[in-house]
Amino acid sequence: MKVIVDMNLCQDHGQCAIAAPEVFRMDESSRLVFEAEPDESMRQYVEDAIDVCPVQAIFLED
Amino acid sequence: MPQTVVVVGASLGGLRAAEQLRAQGFGGSVVVVGDEPHLPYNRPPLSKESLLGSGPDVTAEELAAGLAFRPRASATGIEWLLGQPAASADLRARTVTLADGTVLPYDALVVATGLRPRRLPQAEPAAGRHVVRTAGDAARLRREVGPGTRAVVVGAGFIGCETAATLHTLGCDVVVVEPFPVPMVRGVGTDVGAALLAHHRGAGVRFITGQGVSELRGEGRVDAVVLDDGTVIVCDVVVESVGSHCNTEWLAGNGLDLSDGLLCDNDLHVEGRPDVVAVGDIARFPNPRFDDVPRRVEHWSIPGDSARRAASSVIAHLSGEPLEAPPFAPLPAFWSDQFGLRLQSFGSPGLADSVEVAEGSLDRLTDGAAVVYRRSGATVGVLLVNIPVARHPHYRSLVLASDQLV
C-alpha cells in the first residue's frame, strides 16, 4: 500500500492527521508529514483520511 | 433475488452511502439517482477556488470534472442514474419513481437529496440573479462577473461571505446586504461575527447590515437592489445566499413530517422505518454528544459520518441482524477561507450560551484566535481562526472531552 499526497492540492487542513494519526501528522510548523508506505493494517484509516480530506489531495496505490 | 438499495441523491452523501454499503459488505444492487448530470463532485470550492481559478467561459462540466470525487476502489458495481430527479416515492410499495416515469423497486432506501438554495421572494426581474450551490450555478455566475462588475451579495452566511471575498478578489465592486447586525452569526455568534465583519470591511468589501431587500429593479434583468430603508444599490449581478430548502418534496404523500428535513432516530432510520434512512444535510437526528434534540447539521463532515451509520443500519435490516454499534455521535466540523483567514470549527458553536476567547484576540484575527463556545459550562464547540493546524487537535479534544455522552 502506497500513500501519495499531491502537495499542490494540499492546503494543510490537517483532517487526515485526525482520521489516521499513525500515518499522517502535522509537524511543529504545521506542515504535513506522512508515512508513504504504511502497514496494510492501516488501510481502513488511510481510506478514512482520504474521505475527510477537503481538497481530495490523498491518493492510495496498491 | 439479490437485494437492492436505492440511494436518491448523487452528491457527497449519496456517494459515501454507496461506498459504505460496499465497504461494509453489502453484495446486492446499489443504484444511485442524481438530478445533476455529473458524477459526485466537491461543492465547497465552488464559492472559492473554482470561481477564482476559472475564466468566464468555464462550463459546468469542466468545473464538476475538476472537482469530481474519486470513489473508493472497493465501490464497484454501483449503477448511476444521473440527470433526472426522483419525482416521487411510495414507501409502502417500496418504489421510487423518476421524472421520466422509471420505477425503481428497492429493499432499502437511502435519502441523500440534500438542499437547494432559497431564493428571494421577488420573481422578477429574473436575469442577473445567481445562487452558488451547483457547478452549473458557479459557471453561470463566473460568466457574468469580472473586473468592475457591480455585485450585490444578499445574505452574509458562510457562502455569501466566501462568495463576496472571491468576487472582490476577481475585481468586482461588492456590497453585502445582511438583515442581522453581523455576518455568519448563526455559525460563530455575535462577537466573532463582528470581528469577521471588520476583517471583510478592512479588505474592501462594503457591508450593509441590519437591512433586508425590499425590491429588485430592472426590466427583465436586475439593475438595482432596493433595501428596507429605501437605499438603492445599482448593480450588474445579485448573488442570493439566503439559506436553503430541503429537497424532500418528492417524498410527499407518505405521511412523513417534511417540515424540516427528515426526522431520524440515532441510527438514521426515518421516523422509525427500518428500510428508509437519511444521510447528510437533510437528516434531522439527535446527537447524544450534545443532547437528545434532533437537528439537521449543514456541515461538510456530516454526509460522510452519517453515510457510514446509515449503511450499517441498512445492512443490519437487510440481513436481519441487530445493529450493534455505539451511539452515533459525530463531531461536526467545518472550515472556511475568507480573505487570508482560515476558519476551522469543531463541534456546534451555535448551541453555546457563552463564548470565551482562549487564545489571541478578536481584534487581530490574522495573527490567530481560538474561541471556545460553552453551554451550561460544557464546551460544545471551538472556532479556530488562523491557528496553526498542529494545535487543532488540542482544541478539538476540548469538545470531545466535555461531551454529554453517557
Side-chain angles (χ1 to χ4, degrees):
Chain A
M1 177 170 59
K2 209 170 165 189
V3 174
I4 298 163
V5 178
D6 184 336
M7 296 310 285
N8 293 318
L9 292 175
C10 177
Q11 296 179 357
D12 296 318
H13 281 274
Q15 296 297 309
C16 53
I18 292 168
E22 299 86 350
V23 179
F24 304 91
R25 69 183 177 85
M26 311 306 290
D27 69 13
E28 299 73 26
S29 53
S30 287
R31 296 307 306 238
L32 174 66
V33 288
F34 63 99
E35 178 68 54
E37 295 189 28
D39 188 80
E40 184 59 31
S41 63
M42 289 290 116
R43 177 175 294 269
Q44 177 194 337
Y45 302 102
V46 171
E47 288 188 325
D48 290 347
I50 292 172
D51 280 0
V52 298
C53 175
V55 290
Q56 303 281 294
I58 307 171
F59 297 75
L60 179 60
E61 279 183 7
D62 285 298
Chain B
M1 272 286 283
Q3 292 173 312
T4 298
V5 177
V6 171
V7 179
V8 182
S11 189
L12 179 56
L15 169 65
R16 293 288 186 249
E19 288 179 327
Q20 283 296 321
L21 285 166
R22 287 289 185 252
Q24 297 181 37
F26 178 67
S29 299
V30 178
V31 181
V32 185
V33 174
D35 61 340
E36 290 181 72
H38 318 293
L39 282 163
Y41 60 91
N42 199 22
R43 297 192 195 280
L46 291 174
S47 55
K48 305 183 278 277
E49 297 93 332
S50 292
L51 284 178
L52 273 181
S54 306
D57 299 331
V58 74
T59 64
E61 290 69 28
E62 289 165 348
L63 287 177
L67 297 172
F69 287 111
R70 297 185 307 277
R72 287 186 177 201
S74 59
T76 54
I78 291 164
E79 187 181 352
W80 298 90
L81 297 179
L82 302 175
Q84 61 170 322
S88 64
D90 184 335
L91 301 189
R92 195 174 303 168
R94 294 205 196 95
T95 57
V96 171
T97 302
L98 306 187
D100 71 355
T102 305
V103 177
L104 303 174
Y106 64 77
D107 297 288
L109 174 65
V110 179
V111 183
T113 36
L115 310 177
R116 67 180 181 279
R118 216 160 66 79
R119 305 299 304 243
L120 290 170
Q122 293 83 2
E124 298 292 334
R129 295 169 60 178
H130 297 270
V131 292
V132 184
R133 174 79 183 172
T134 67
D137 295 334
R140 277 187 291 276
L141 175 60
R142 184 64 191 86
R143 205 172 301 148
E144 294 201 346
V145 295
T149 304
R150 296 164 299 180
V152 175
V153 176
V154 183
F158 285 100
I159 291 173
C161 288
E162 289 174 358
T163 306
T166 301
L167 293 179
H168 179 83
T169 306
L170 282 171
C172 302
D173 181 5
V174 185
V175 181
V176 181
V177 177
E178 166 60 45
F180 280 105
V182 301
M184 295 170 278
V185 65
R186 211 162 52 111
V188 302
T190 306
D191 296 346
V192 178
L196 290 168
L197 175 60
H199 183 80
H200 276 259
R201 281 179 168 155
V205 176
R206 270 177 72 201
F207 271 73
I208 300 176
T209 61
Q211 292 280 329
V213 170
S214 66
E215 190 187 342
L216 298 175
R217 285 191 187 159
E219 294 298 322
R221 184 181 174 90
V222 65
D223 59 26
V225 172
V226 185
L227 306 188
D228 291 336
D229 67 354
T231 303
V232 176
I233 311 171
V234 176
C235 64
D236 305 303
V237 296
V238 172
V239 178
E240 302 173 30
S241 46
V242 290
S244 38
H245 292 292
C246 293
N247 292 319
T248 52
E249 290 85 351
W250 62 281
L251 286 165
N254 289 289
L256 298 176
D257 168 9
L258 302 179
S259 59
D260 181 25
L262 294 172
L263 182 58
C264 300
D265 64 18
N266 187 246
D267 292 320
L268 299 166
H269 299 115
V270 175
E271 297 192 24
R273 290 161 196 266
D275 55 346
V276 184
V277 293
V279 162
D281 292 335
I282 60 168
R284 179 157 52 104
F285 64 95
N287 186 339
R289 185 177 296 286
F290 303 111
D291 50 39
D292 59 4
V293 179
R295 293 186 186 88
R296 295 192 307 101
V297 184
E298 296 178 14
H299 292 336
W300 190 86
S301 63
I302 292 298
D305 290 334
S306 58
R308 184 175 304 233
R309 172 53 66 95
S312 301
S313 296
V314 163
I315 289 170
H317 168 64
L318 293 179
S319 63
E321 305 285 334
L323 175 61
E324 284 174 14
F328 176 57
L331 182 68
F334 70 81
W335 80 95
S336 181
D337 293 311
Q338 302 172 24
F339 283 131
L341 298 183
R342 161 68 54 83
L343 279 60
Q344 173 69 53
S345 169
F346 298 103
S348 294
L351 299 179
D353 53 37
S354 71
V355 177
E356 183 198 349
V357 179
E359 178 180 341
S361 163
L362 295 183
D363 299 328
R364 295 187 309 278
L365 290 179
T366 312
D367 298 338
V371 186
V372 176
Y373 296 79
R374 296 191 181 88
R375 181 178 65 177
S376 306
T379 301
V380 290
V382 293
L383 180 73
L384 311 174
V385 185
N386 282 15
I387 292 288
V389 72
R391 291 220 298 290
H392 287 193
H394 162 68
Y395 284 105
R396 184 174 177 271
S397 71
L398 298 181
V399 189
L400 291 176
S402 73
D403 65 45
Q404 320 284 300
L405 280 171
V406 277

mmCIF file of all heavy atoms in Angstrom, chain B residues 342-382:
data_model
loop_
_atom_site.group_PDB
_atom_site.id
_atom_site.type_symbol
_atom_site.label_atom_id
_atom_site.label_comp_id
_atom_site.label_asym_id
_atom_site.label_seq_id
_atom_site.Cartn_x
_atom_site.Cartn_y
_atom_site.Cartn_z
ATOM 1 N N ARG B 342 -8.189 31.493 7.641
ATOM 2 C CA ARG B 342 -8.640 30.114 7.608
ATOM 3 C C ARG B 342 -9.431 29.866 8.896
ATOM 4 O O ARG B 342 -8.884 29.917 9.991
ATOM 5 C CB ARG B 342 -7.436 29.171 7.527
ATOM 6 C CG ARG B 342 -7.684 27.719 7.920
ATOM 7 C CD ARG B 342 -8.571 26.948 6.964
ATOM 8 N NE ARG B 342 -8.137 26.969 5.588
ATOM 9 C CZ ARG B 342 -7.202 26.151 5.068
ATOM 10 N NH1 ARG B 342 -6.602 25.264 5.810
ATOM 11 N NH2 ARG B 342 -6.891 26.238 3.795
ATOM 12 N N LEU B 343 -10.731 29.630 8.718
ATOM 13 C CA LEU B 343 -11.579 29.311 9.866
ATOM 14 C C LEU B 343 -11.744 27.799 9.940
ATOM 15 O O LEU B 343 -12.015 27.153 8.920
ATOM 16 C CB LEU B 343 -12.972 29.934 9.712
ATOM 17 C CG LEU B 343 -13.184 31.402 10.060
ATOM 18 C CD1 LEU B 343 -12.313 32.305 9.205
ATOM 19 C CD2 LEU B 343 -14.651 31.784 9.886
ATOM 20 N N GLN B 344 -11.582 27.243 11.119
ATOM 21 C CA GLN B 344 -11.834 25.819 11.323
ATOM 22 C C GLN B 344 -12.631 25.676 12.604
ATOM 23 O O GLN B 344 -12.258 26.229 13.638
ATOM 24 C CB GLN B 344 -10.517 25.046 11.446
ATOM 25 C CG GLN B 344 -10.676 23.582 11.837
ATOM 26 C CD GLN B 344 -11.308 22.746 10.715
ATOM 27 O OE1 GLN B 344 -10.839 22.761 9.589
ATOM 28 N NE2 GLN B 344 -12.389 22.043 11.029
ATOM 29 N N SER B 345 -13.737 24.962 12.515
ATOM 30 C CA SER B 345 -14.572 24.753 13.707
ATOM 31 C C SER B 345 -14.722 23.272 13.979
ATOM 32 O O SER B 345 -14.771 22.450 13.059
ATOM 33 C CB SER B 345 -15.953 25.382 13.491
ATOM 34 O OG SER B 345 -16.841 24.963 14.518
ATOM 35 N N PHE B 346 -14.791 22.936 15.254
ATOM 36 C CA PHE B 346 -15.173 21.593 15.688
ATOM 37 C C PHE B 346 -16.319 21.742 16.677
ATOM 38 O O PHE B 346 -16.313 22.642 17.522
ATOM 39 C CB PHE B 346 -14.001 20.871 16.370
ATOM 40 C CG PHE B 346 -12.821 20.663 15.478
ATOM 41 C CD1 PHE B 346 -11.695 21.471 15.610
ATOM 42 C CD2 PHE B 346 -12.815 19.690 14.500
ATOM 43 C CE1 PHE B 346 -10.587 21.291 14.783
ATOM 44 C CE2 PHE B 346 -11.714 19.501 13.668
ATOM 45 C CZ PHE B 346 -10.601 20.298 13.810
ATOM 46 N N GLY B 347 -17.304 20.839 16.579
ATOM 47 C CA GLY B 347 -18.440 20.907 17.481
ATOM 48 C C GLY B 347 -19.545 21.786 16.927
ATOM 49 O O GLY B 347 -19.645 21.990 15.720
ATOM 50 N N SER B 348 -20.375 22.293 17.825
ATOM 51 C CA SER B 348 -21.539 23.092 17.426
ATOM 52 C C SER B 348 -21.560 24.430 18.161
ATOM 53 O O SER B 348 -22.270 24.595 19.153
ATOM 54 C CB SER B 348 -22.827 22.318 17.721
ATOM 55 O OG SER B 348 -22.914 21.174 16.911
ATOM 56 N N PRO B 349 -20.776 25.400 17.681
ATOM 57 C CA PRO B 349 -20.766 26.719 18.331
ATOM 58 C C PRO B 349 -22.164 27.326 18.458
ATOM 59 O O PRO B 349 -22.437 28.066 19.411
ATOM 60 C CB PRO B 349 -19.887 27.561 17.406
ATOM 61 C CG PRO B 349 -18.974 26.576 16.749
ATOM 62 C CD PRO B 349 -19.821 25.334 16.559
ATOM 63 N N GLY B 350 -23.053 26.991 17.528
ATOM 64 C CA GLY B 350 -24.385 27.577 17.547
ATOM 65 C C GLY B 350 -25.212 27.208 18.767
ATOM 66 O O GLY B 350 -26.220 27.855 19.045
ATOM 67 N N LEU B 351 -24.801 26.178 19.514
ATOM 68 C CA LEU B 351 -25.561 25.769 20.700
ATOM 69 C C LEU B 351 -25.139 26.533 21.955
ATOM 70 O O LEU B 351 -25.751 26.379 23.003
ATOM 71 C CB LEU B 351 -25.363 24.266 20.952
ATOM 72 C CG LEU B 351 -25.810 23.298 19.860
ATOM 73 C CD1 LEU B 351 -25.509 21.854 20.269
ATOM 74 C CD2 LEU B 351 -27.301 23.467 19.591
ATOM 75 N N ALA B 352 -24.103 27.362 21.842
ATOM 76 C CA ALA B 352 -23.480 27.920 23.040
ATOM 77 C C ALA B 352 -24.324 29.002 23.705
ATOM 78 O O ALA B 352 -25.097 29.704 23.059
ATOM 79 C CB ALA B 352 -22.106 28.474 22.699
ATOM 80 N N ASP B 353 -24.157 29.144 25.038
ATOM 81 C CA ASP B 353 -24.716 30.285 25.745
ATOM 82 C C ASP B 353 -23.615 31.210 26.261
ATOM 83 O O ASP B 353 -23.894 32.265 26.816
ATOM 84 C CB ASP B 353 -25.645 29.840 26.889
ATOM 85 C CG ASP B 353 -24.985 28.862 27.843
ATOM 86 O OD1 ASP B 353 -23.780 29.014 28.114
ATOM 87 O OD2 ASP B 353 -25.677 27.936 28.308
ATOM 88 N N SER B 354 -22.356 30.806 26.119
ATOM 89 C CA SER B 354 -21.260 31.711 26.471
ATOM 90 C C SER B 354 -20.065 31.456 25.556
ATOM 91 O O SER B 354 -19.904 30.358 25.019
ATOM 92 C CB SER B 354 -20.847 31.534 27.937
ATOM 93 O OG SER B 354 -20.179 30.301 28.113
ATOM 94 N N VAL B 355 -19.276 32.495 25.382
ATOM 95 C CA VAL B 355 -18.166 32.460 24.439
ATOM 96 C C VAL B 355 -16.932 33.023 25.124
ATOM 97 O O VAL B 355 -17.010 34.039 25.810
ATOM 98 C CB VAL B 355 -18.492 33.316 23.182
ATOM 99 C CG1 VAL B 355 -17.319 33.339 22.224
ATOM 100 C CG2 VAL B 355 -19.742 32.788 22.480
ATOM 101 N N GLU B 356 -15.804 32.338 24.952
ATOM 102 C CA GLU B 356 -14.564 32.845 25.539
ATOM 103 C C GLU B 356 -13.444 32.782 24.504
ATOM 104 O O GLU B 356 -13.274 31.775 23.820
ATOM 105 C CB GLU B 356 -14.167 31.994 26.753
ATOM 106 C CG GLU B 356 -12.923 32.511 27.461
ATOM 107 C CD GLU B 356 -12.293 31.449 28.376
ATOM 108 O OE1 GLU B 356 -12.928 30.407 28.623
ATOM 109 O OE2 GLU B 356 -11.159 31.672 28.813
ATOM 110 N N VAL B 357 -12.698 33.879 24.418
ATOM 111 C CA VAL B 357 -11.516 33.874 23.551
ATOM 112 C C VAL B 357 -10.383 33.249 24.348
ATOM 113 O O VAL B 357 -9.925 33.797 25.348
ATOM 114 C CB VAL B 357 -11.143 35.297 23.098
ATOM 115 C CG1 VAL B 357 -9.895 35.263 22.213
ATOM 116 C CG2 VAL B 357 -12.305 35.923 22.330
ATOM 117 N N ALA B 358 -9.963 32.047 23.938
ATOM 118 C CA ALA B 358 -8.977 31.292 24.718
ATOM 119 C C ALA B 358 -7.551 31.618 24.301
ATOM 120 O O ALA B 358 -6.612 31.356 25.049
ATOM 121 C CB ALA B 358 -9.227 29.783 24.558
ATOM 122 N N GLU B 359 -7.382 32.185 23.119
ATOM 123 C CA GLU B 359 -6.038 32.453 22.614
ATOM 124 C C GLU B 359 -6.130 33.570 21.588
ATOM 125 O O GLU B 359 -7.078 33.613 20.811
ATOM 126 C CB GLU B 359 -5.472 31.175 21.961
ATOM 127 C CG GLU B 359 -4.090 31.344 21.357
ATOM 128 C CD GLU B 359 -3.563 30.054 20.718
ATOM 129 O OE1 GLU B 359 -4.078 28.964 21.039
ATOM 130 O OE2 GLU B 359 -2.648 30.163 19.884
ATOM 131 N N GLY B 360 -5.165 34.477 21.623
ATOM 132 C CA GLY B 360 -5.159 35.553 20.648
ATOM 133 C C GLY B 360 -6.235 36.586 20.955
ATOM 134 O O GLY B 360 -6.728 36.674 22.082
ATOM 135 N N SER B 361 -6.601 37.363 19.936
ATOM 136 C CA SER B 361 -7.554 38.449 20.131
ATOM 137 C C SER B 361 -8.451 38.573 18.908
ATOM 138 O O SER B 361 -7.993 38.415 17.769
ATOM 139 C CB SER B 361 -6.803 39.769 20.359
ATOM 140 O OG SER B 361 -7.675 40.858 20.154
ATOM 141 N N LEU B 362 -9.716 38.872 19.155
ATOM 142 C CA LEU B 362 -10.642 39.067 18.037
ATOM 143 C C LEU B 362 -10.305 40.337 17.253
ATOM 144 O O LEU B 362 -10.764 40.513 16.126
ATOM 145 C CB LEU B 362 -12.084 39.127 18.542
ATOM 146 C CG LEU B 362 -12.635 37.834 19.172
ATOM 147 C CD1 LEU B 362 -14.096 38.013 19.552
ATOM 148 C CD2 LEU B 362 -12.471 36.649 18.230
ATOM 149 N N ASP B 363 -9.508 41.216 17.860
ATOM 150 C CA ASP B 363 -9.110 42.434 17.154
ATOM 151 C C ASP B 363 -8.001 42.176 16.149
ATOM 152 O O ASP B 363 -7.712 43.023 15.307
ATOM 153 C CB ASP B 363 -8.624 43.499 18.154
ATOM 154 C CG ASP B 363 -9.720 43.887 19.126
ATOM 155 O OD1 ASP B 363 -10.895 43.853 18.714
ATOM 156 O OD2 ASP B 363 -9.404 44.200 20.287
ATOM 157 N N ARG B 364 -7.330 41.037 16.269
ATOM 158 C CA ARG B 364 -6.224 40.726 15.355
ATOM 159 C C ARG B 364 -6.377 39.283 14.862
ATOM 160 O O ARG B 364 -5.562 38.408 15.154
ATOM 161 C CB ARG B 364 -4.880 40.900 16.068
ATOM 162 C CG ARG B 364 -4.579 42.337 16.493
ATOM 163 C CD ARG B 364 -3.158 42.473 17.053
ATOM 164 N NE ARG B 364 -2.872 41.481 18.088
ATOM 165 C CZ ARG B 364 -3.233 41.602 19.364
ATOM 166 N NH1 ARG B 364 -3.874 42.687 19.774
ATOM 167 N NH2 ARG B 364 -2.941 40.652 20.224
ATOM 168 N N LEU B 365 -7.446 39.050 14.121
ATOM 169 C CA LEU B 365 -7.748 37.688 13.671
ATOM 170 C C LEU B 365 -6.617 37.110 12.829
ATOM 171 O O LEU B 365 -6.334 35.909 12.898
ATOM 172 C CB LEU B 365 -9.048 37.681 12.862
ATOM 173 C CG LEU B 365 -10.346 37.920 13.631
ATOM 174 C CD1 LEU B 365 -11.524 37.891 12.665
ATOM 175 C CD2 LEU B 365 -10.532 36.879 14.725
ATOM 176 N N THR B 366 -5.975 37.970 12.043
ATOM 177 C CA THR B 366 -4.927 37.478 11.149
ATOM 178 C C THR B 366 -3.812 36.799 11.931
ATOM 179 O O THR B 366 -3.182 35.852 11.458
ATOM 180 C CB THR B 366 -4.353 38.642 10.326
ATOM 181 O OG1 THR B 366 -5.456 39.388 9.793
ATOM 182 C CG2 THR B 366 -3.511 38.140 9.167
ATOM 183 N N ASP B 367 -3.567 37.280 13.154
ATOM 184 C CA ASP B 367 -2.499 36.701 13.970
ATOM 185 C C ASP B 367 -2.933 35.432 14.689
ATOM 186 O O ASP B 367 -2.140 34.809 15.385
ATOM 187 C CB ASP B 367 -2.026 37.724 15.025
ATOM 188 C CG ASP B 367 -1.444 38.970 14.380
ATOM 189 O OD1 ASP B 367 -1.020 38.878 13.211
ATOM 190 O OD2 ASP B 367 -1.437 40.027 15.027
ATOM 191 N N GLY B 368 -4.204 35.090 14.562
ATOM 192 C CA GLY B 368 -4.682 33.849 15.167
ATOM 193 C C GLY B 368 -5.542 34.099 16.397
ATOM 194 O O GLY B 368 -5.204 34.901 17.266
ATOM 195 N N ALA B 369 -6.688 33.435 16.442
ATOM 196 C CA ALA B 369 -7.557 33.498 17.610
ATOM 197 C C ALA B 369 -8.275 32.161 17.759
ATOM 198 O O ALA B 369 -8.665 31.549 16.759
ATOM 199 C CB ALA B 369 -8.585 34.633 17.474
ATOM 200 N N ALA B 370 -8.394 31.722 18.998
ATOM 201 C CA ALA B 370 -9.124 30.495 19.292
ATOM 202 C C ALA B 370 -10.280 30.850 20.216
ATOM 203 O O ALA B 370 -10.073 31.514 21.236
ATOM 204 C CB ALA B 370 -8.231 29.455 19.955
ATOM 205 N N VAL B 371 -11.484 30.452 19.835
ATOM 206 C CA VAL B 371 -12.680 30.812 20.586
ATOM 207 C C VAL B 371 -13.352 29.525 21.059
ATOM 208 O O VAL B 371 -13.538 28.588 20.277
ATOM 209 C CB VAL B 371 -13.650 31.633 19.717
ATOM 210 C CG1 VAL B 371 -14.820 32.127 20.545
ATOM 211 C CG2 VAL B 371 -12.924 32.789 19.057
ATOM 212 N N VAL B 372 -13.676 29.485 22.343
ATOM 213 C CA VAL B 372 -14.311 28.314 22.935
ATOM 214 C C VAL B 372 -15.763 28.653 23.235
ATOM 215 O O VAL B 372 -16.053 29.697 23.836
ATOM 216 C CB VAL B 372 -13.576 27.877 24.222
ATOM 217 C CG1 VAL B 372 -14.312 26.716 24.890
ATOM 218 C CG2 VAL B 372 -12.136 27.485 23.900
ATOM 219 N N TYR B 373 -16.681 27.789 22.793
ATOM 220 C CA TYR B 373 -18.122 28.002 22.963
ATOM 221 C C TYR B 373 -18.633 27.007 23.993
ATOM 222 O O TYR B 373 -18.407 25.801 23.873
ATOM 223 C CB TYR B 373 -18.845 27.793 21.624
ATOM 224 C CG TYR B 373 -18.463 28.791 20.561
ATOM 225 C CD1 TYR B 373 -17.277 28.662 19.842
ATOM 226 C CD2 TYR B 373 -19.291 29.874 20.273
ATOM 227 C CE1 TYR B 373 -16.925 29.574 18.868
ATOM 228 C CE2 TYR B 373 -18.953 30.800 19.295
ATOM 229 C CZ TYR B 373 -17.770 30.646 18.597
ATOM 230 O OH TYR B 373 -17.420 31.562 17.636
ATOM 231 N N ARG B 374 -19.355 27.522 25.001
ATOM 232 C CA ARG B 374 -19.843 26.646 26.061
ATOM 233 C C ARG B 374 -21.352 26.776 26.214
ATOM 234 O O ARG B 374 -21.932 27.823 25.953
ATOM 235 C CB ARG B 374 -19.182 26.993 27.403
ATOM 236 C CG ARG B 374 -17.682 26.754 27.415
ATOM 237 C CD ARG B 374 -17.101 26.853 28.817
ATOM 238 N NE ARG B 374 -15.651 26.652 28.792
ATOM 239 C CZ ARG B 374 -14.760 27.627 28.600
ATOM 240 N NH1 ARG B 374 -15.171 28.877 28.455
ATOM 241 N NH2 ARG B 374 -13.472 27.351 28.575
ATOM 242 N N ARG B 375 -21.951 25.671 26.659
ATOM 243 C CA ARG B 375 -23.360 25.668 27.030
ATOM 244 C C ARG B 375 -23.445 25.063 28.419
ATOM 245 O O ARG B 375 -22.985 23.952 28.631
ATOM 246 C CB ARG B 375 -24.176 24.844 26.039
ATOM 247 C CG ARG B 375 -25.677 24.815 26.363
ATOM 248 C CD ARG B 375 -26.455 24.040 25.340
ATOM 249 N NE ARG B 375 -26.085 22.630 25.347
ATOM 250 C CZ ARG B 375 -26.671 21.708 24.583
ATOM 251 N NH1 ARG B 375 -27.626 22.045 23.752
ATOM 252 N NH2 ARG B 375 -26.274 20.456 24.649
ATOM 253 N N SER B 376 -24.034 25.798 29.347
ATOM 254 C CA SER B 376 -24.107 25.362 30.745
ATOM 255 C C SER B 376 -22.741 24.887 31.229
ATOM 256 O O SER B 376 -22.621 23.882 31.948
ATOM 257 C CB SER B 376 -25.124 24.233 30.921
ATOM 258 O OG SER B 376 -26.381 24.611 30.409
ATOM 259 N N GLY B 377 -21.699 25.579 30.805
ATOM 260 C CA GLY B 377 -20.348 25.271 31.271
ATOM 261 C C GLY B 377 -19.614 24.211 30.470
ATOM 262 O O GLY B 377 -18.393 24.100 30.562
ATOM 263 N N ALA B 378 -20.347 23.415 29.673
ATOM 264 C CA ALA B 378 -19.692 22.361 28.895
ATOM 265 C C ALA B 378 -19.278 22.904 27.534
ATOM 266 O O ALA B 378 -20.051 23.611 26.882
ATOM 267 C CB ALA B 378 -20.639 21.178 28.726
ATOM 268 N N THR B 379 -18.074 22.565 27.103
ATOM 269 C CA THR B 379 -17.586 23.031 25.800
ATOM 270 C C THR B 379 -18.328 22.297 24.690
ATOM 271 O O THR B 379 -18.239 21.078 24.581
ATOM 272 C CB THR B 379 -16.073 22.779 25.680
ATOM 273 O OG1 THR B 379 -15.414 23.470 26.737
ATOM 274 C CG2 THR B 379 -15.550 23.283 24.336
ATOM 275 N N VAL B 380 -19.092 23.045 23.894
ATOM 276 C CA VAL B 380 -19.853 22.437 22.792
ATOM 277 C C VAL B 380 -19.221 22.710 21.433
ATOM 278 O O VAL B 380 -19.583 22.086 20.438
ATOM 279 C CB VAL B 380 -21.324 22.910 22.780
ATOM 280 C CG1 VAL B 380 -22.075 22.330 23.979
ATOM 281 C CG2 VAL B 380 -21.422 24.427 22.758
ATOM 282 N N GLY B 381 -18.271 23.654 21.383
ATOM 283 C CA GLY B 381 -17.654 23.938 20.096
ATOM 284 C C GLY B 381 -16.417 24.805 20.257
ATOM 285 O O GLY B 381 -16.220 25.450 21.300
ATOM 286 N N VAL B 382 -15.568 24.790 19.234
ATOM 287 C CA VAL B 382 -14.438 25.718 19.173
ATOM 288 C C VAL B 382 -14.379 26.288 17.760
ATOM 289 O O VAL B 382 -14.800 25.642 16.796
ATOM 290 C CB VAL B 382 -13.083 25.043 19.501
ATOM 291 C CG1 VAL B 382 -13.022 24.610 20.948
ATOM 292 C CG2 VAL B 382 -12.808 23.861 18.569
#
